Amino acid sequence: MRFNKLSILAGAVMALSSLAAQAAEITGAGATFPAPMYAKWAEAYKAATGNQLNYQAIGSGGGQKQIIAKTVDFGATDDPLGARLAEEKLLQFPAIIGGVVAVVNVPGITPGQLTMNGKVLGDIFRGAITTWNDAKIAAINPGVTLPATPITLVYRSDSSGTTATFTDYLGFTNDKFATEIGIGKTVNWKSGVGGKGNAGVAANVSKIAGSIGYVEYAYAKQNKLAHAAMINRDGKRVQPDDTAFAAATEKANWESKPGFGISLNDQPGAITWPITTASFILMHLTADKPARSAEALKFFDWAYKNGKQLATDLDYVPIPEAVVTKVQASWKNIKDAQGNPVWK
Amino acid sequence: MSAAASSMDLSKQSNTVYSEEFIRRVHQFNWQDRLFAFVTFSFALLVMIGLGGILLSLIIESAPVFKQYGLGFLAGTKWSPADDVFGAVIAVYGTLVTSGIALLIALPLSFGIAVYLTESCPLILRRPLGTAIELLAGVPSIVYGFWGLFVLAPLIQEYVQPGIILLNIPMFAGPPLGIGVFTAGVVLALMVVPFIASVMRDVFETVPQVLKESAYGLGCTTWEVVRSIVLPYTQTGVVGAVMLGLGRALGETMAVTFVIGNANRLSGNLFAPGNSIASTLANEFAEADPALHIPALFALGLILFVISFLVLALAKYMTSRSSFKPR
């Protein structure tokens, strides 16, 4: 009896594994910022093609490590690699675009009511403005009554691409921020409270009265946090949404950096959201497993073509058509051991 | 073993000559016994190998950071992955202080619970109360973390901290954030209470009824019985219970990460955000740079290992010295 059960089980396992062998499986790991997007795409892709994508949101640094160690078919990072691309013989291309917003917890302030610019935001995050009724904040917020409560900063406690984007913008628009705090995935904040991941920052901001933090826009929306409107490069007051993020990509010169690794911060345009970033995919130029690399590229090809509505639903911005053409041209550089391109 | 031994005893008593069959069976028992001893020994050895392996890998992996800083790592007050500068003081301080606060709160609470359950509690309430406390010990730590962040921290921020800040005590300064070293200590206290209380209750129950009844018979109050009979009798167990709680508080990760504030800054202010060894590891391991950051994190792990080991050693030492001396 027992033996029978075992043999049935073994049979089932064998049947399952042979099924799995028929459908292609793609593995990726990295940034948490685009993870909700990849999860949604993977679900739709499986329904459409039967192929499975396993994406592990372990952070941008982790994604870089895993692809270099060749444990995954692709790595994902919000923080583009510069010179290291050539050193590690990697190909990099953008997969999705999103925006970072400052979120505040000030009693009486509703989402989008408060206005910020790079200078004031930089002064707040370097600890030079310490109370909400500071004259510099009041000057760009006429008609908004702000309390005398102290400002508590909320930042990312883990190494994060969101921090890299946010500090890159603040450093670009506020020289003192650049010298005192610096730019990068981790920086030395002078005061405040750390939260793990976008979700951790959102939770801390929602719980600490008088706090200000920064998150990817979808997290602000989901948690109903009060985001601040921004005054952009053209001096216009803008609210974050997918059209404002998309506007940041219009004048961008994608080919000015290796692997399309440009910053989309502080771009010109009347409706442009000033803190915008692309999230990138990393793959080896010489494919050890050409079939798997081709499957991964097929997935992104499918996502560029069919994933636009899903992206907009989640408040991300799809990569513009013109850039996709250039990205797909760069895919020809991924070759197998014999030097044949894996992407046809 | 016991069957063989008792039959041998029997045969000695009756002074008979051992039969072939008997000797064969004794040998058989011997052989089985040795095999049994060997199997159980290898299980025990596995634990030793695991422990030694962990210790060894911690030492090997953390070597680069000690090569760079020497023992100065232990005294370094700056932890900055951005500048590639690492020192252990912030995390060690956070771990010790949160655990200290936790014990300070949890010890009297658990003691009270254990005394009530064993001495004064009506019989009908004993089981449900005891079970409830044990259930509390089974709540996953991440639930304590969530609850600490979403329920306890706002309450502390609104009702506890403003009042204490007004008193102007140097270690309790504003602004009230709700999140910080103090809150982490409070959450830890609630987490270790069920551990300490249930072990204390169990050891209090080992006190012979006749001792307590004699004391009550002499006219002692409940407190006098607890102080002069129960506590001296159970010293070892009580110390063990406290150390068990301390051990859990030292290594607790998720709950602390939620409420400690994750700030790599050293502050004497208990209301300020800080970091503990476990929360630093949880926050930074996934994205750490292999050159110096990962060795520094391994070194913190090694320090936590050593602290836990010292706590256990101290507990063993204290319990080995204690003996029953009724006062």
Side-chain angles (χ1 to χ4, degrees):
Chain A
M1 186 63 202
R2 196 171 179 165
F3 181 76
N4 276 344
K5 270 188 192 163
L6 267 178
S7 56
I8 290 167
L9 193 69
V13 167
M14 276 160 73
L16 275 176
S17 53
S18 65
L19 261 181
Q22 282 161 17
E25 207 168 296
I26 312 157
T27 58
T32 55
F33 166 95
M37 183 74 263
Y38 297 162
K40 202 88 195 159
W41 278 346
E43 199 184 304
Y45 187 62
K46 182 154 195 220
T49 64
N51 293 340
Q52 170 106 27
L53 168 74
N54 296 317
Y55 182 74
Q56 290 173 41
I58 55 170
S60 296
Q64 294 170 11
K65 252 189 274 175
Q66 295 302 320
I67 187 65
I68 289 168
K70 298 188 177 177
T71 55
V72 287
D73 300 325
F74 70 87
T77 175
D78 299 334
D79 196 23
L81 293 183
R84 275 182 67 207
L85 274 181
E87 278 169 35
E88 302 288 351
K89 298 192 172 55
L90 292 171
L91 179 87
Q92 175 178 280
F93 58 90
I96 194 74
I97 294 160
V100 177
V101 297
V103 284
V104 301
N105 177 350
V106 183
I109 297 292
T110 53
Q113 192 188 0
L114 200 68
T115 310
M116 285 286 161
N117 62 27
K119 200 112 197 112
V120 173
L121 211 50
D123 281 349
I124 290 174
F125 274 89
R126 74 185 171 91
I129 296 176
T130 54
T131 54
W132 282 107
N133 62 352
D134 190 282
K136 282 182 184 163
I137 302 178
I140 53 170
N141 284 285
V144 181
T145 344
L146 288 160
T149 44
I151 297 176
T152 303
L153 305 181
V154 180
Y155 52 81
R156 287 284 290 270
S157 57
D158 49 341
S159 168
S160 134
T162 311
T163 304
T165 305
F166 189 65
T167 55
D168 177 71
Y169 170 70
L170 293 186
F172 197 71
T173 49
N174 187 320
D175 293 339
K176 281 194 177 142
F177 182 90
T179 48
E180 285 171 24
I181 307 292
I183 293 160
K185 285 187 292 183
T186 54
V187 293
N188 300 315
W189 301 106
K190 294 280 185 291
S191 69
V193 175
K196 188 166 162 55
N198 271 304
V201 170
N204 281 353
V205 169
S206 68
K207 291 303 147 201
I208 303 175
S211 61
I212 181 168
Y214 56 92
V215 290
E216 128 72 357
Y217 178 53
Y219 288 87
K221 225 173 147 183
Q222 278 163 18
N223 294 290
K224 299 189 174 59
L225 296 173
H227 66 265
M230 292 294 298
I231 294 173
N232 65 15
R233 192 188 181 107
D234 287 15
K236 298 282 193 307
R237 184 178 188 271
V238 286
Q239 295 286 355
D241 59 27
D242 48 354
T243 50
F245 303 149
T249 68
E250 267 167 26
K251 301 248 167 62
N253 182 7
W254 287 88
E255 281 156 306
S256 63
K257 288 271 175 70
F260 308 94
I262 55 163
S263 162
L264 295 172
N265 280 328
D266 207 33
Q267 292 287 313
I271 61 157
T272 300
W273 183 254
I275 324 173
T276 306
T277 184
S279 197
F280 299 90
I281 300 300
L282 296 169
M283 289 176 72
H284 283 280
L285 282 170
T286 309
D288 284 353
K289 296 169 192 144
R292 296 191 67 123
S293 295
E295 285 299 330
L297 291 174
K298 262 189 221 161
F299 169 75
F300 287 106
D301 178 54
W302 178 91
Y304 285 146
K305 286 198 183 100
N306 307 302
K308 287 178 185 163
Q309 188 55 44
L310 290 173
T312 318
D313 290 350
L314 288 176
D315 290 296
Y316 290 92
V317 180
I319 304 294
E321 288 292 344
V323 183
V324 168
T325 315
K326 287 168 192 164
V327 165
Q328 295 195 320
S330 79
W331 287 356
K332 301 268 189 295
N333 296 325
I334 300 184
K335 290 172 181 156
D336 62 13
Q338 285 76 42
N340 305 314
V342 299
W343 173 251
K344 285 150 202 143
Chain B
M1 168 72 199
S2 62
S6 58
S7 54
M8 268 162 71
D9 287 347
L10 271 177
S11 57
K12 262 181 200 161
Q13 276 168 9
S14 55
N15 230 356
T16 49
V17 178
Y18 304 139
S19 71
E20 290 272 315
E21 167 69 7
F22 182 79
I23 290 170
R24 196 185 61 76
R25 289 193 59 182
V26 167
H27 280 172
Q28 191 189 345
F29 279 131
N30 254 338
W31 176 82
Q32 285 179 342
D33 223 28
R34 254 183 265 152
L35 181 73
F36 186 71
F38 175 76
V39 170
T40 47
F41 167 73
S42 53
F43 291 167
L45 194 68
L46 211 61
V47 174
M48 287 305 294
I49 291 171
L51 187 74
I54 291 171
L55 186 62
L56 199 69
S57 56
L58 283 177
I59 292 171
I60 293 171
E61 295 283 349
S62 64
V65 85
F66 286 110
K67 234 175 252 166
Q68 171 93 11
Y69 297 112
L71 287 177
F73 176 73
L74 303 176
T77 54
K78 188 176 178 191
W79 178 279
S80 162
D83 301 338
D84 230 14
V85 175
F86 302 99
V89 169
I90 294 169
V92 173
Y93 170 84
T95 296
L96 295 180
V97 170
T98 48
S99 302
I101 295 171
L103 273 195
L104 225 55
I105 299 171
L107 198 54
L109 260 180
S110 326
F111 179 70
I113 291 169
V115 167
Y116 179 73
L117 280 180
T118 50
E119 300 301 322
S120 327
C121 186
L123 274 177
I124 195 161
L125 270 179
R126 260 181 213 192
R127 273 182 75 100
L129 267 182
T131 313
I133 287 162
E134 276 156 17
L135 275 179
L136 213 54
V139 175
S141 65
I142 194 146
V143 174
Y144 279 101
F146 261 103
W147 176 82
L149 179 63
F150 284 89
V151 181
L152 186 68
L155 286 178
I156 288 184
Q157 181 185 23
E158 206 158 329
Y159 300 109
V160 181
Q161 289 180 335
I164 300 179
I165 289 167
L166 283 180
L167 298 177
N168 245 335
I169 311 165
M171 284 181 84
F172 302 92
L177 300 179
I179 288 168
V181 172
F182 176 77
T183 309
V186 173
V187 171
L188 279 180
L190 292 171
M191 294 180 71
V192 300
V193 157
F195 280 80
I196 304 183
S198 62
V199 176
M200 269 193 186
R201 182 201 57 187
D202 290 349
V203 295
F204 285 178
E205 271 170 358
T206 63
V207 178
Q209 208 59 34
V210 61
L211 283 179
K212 288 198 278 186
E213 275 163 11
S214 327
Y216 281 123
L218 287 172
C220 289
T221 60
T222 309
W223 168 241
E224 283 166 338
V225 171
V226 169
R227 198 184 56 119
S228 312
I229 305 293
V230 175
L231 267 186
Y233 191 87
T234 57
Q235 241 171 28
T236 312
V238 169
V239 172
V242 173
M243 291 302 159
L244 188 74
L246 184 58
R248 172 147 201 210
L250 284 171
E252 178 47 46
T253 310
M254 279 329 290
V256 172
T257 307
F258 269 95
V259 294
I260 198 167
N262 305 311
N264 289 322
R265 287 183 298 271
L266 199 59
S267 168
N269 179 6
L270 294 183
F271 286 168
N275 226 341
S276 76
I277 292 177
S279 66
T280 305
L281 293 178
N283 271 305
E284 297 180 10
F285 218 100
E287 302 240 359
D289 183 67
L292 205 56
H293 195 179
I294 283 187
L297 291 172
F298 268 106
L300 282 187
L302 182 65
I303 292 171
L304 187 59
F305 192 103
V306 171
I307 293 175
S308 306
F309 178 80
L310 287 180
V311 165
L312 260 176
L314 196 70
K316 288 272 175 218
Y317 176 71
M318 281 164 75
T319 52
S320 71
R321 274 169 22 120
S322 68
S323 52
F324 180 45
K325 293 188 213 81
R327 267 158 269 180

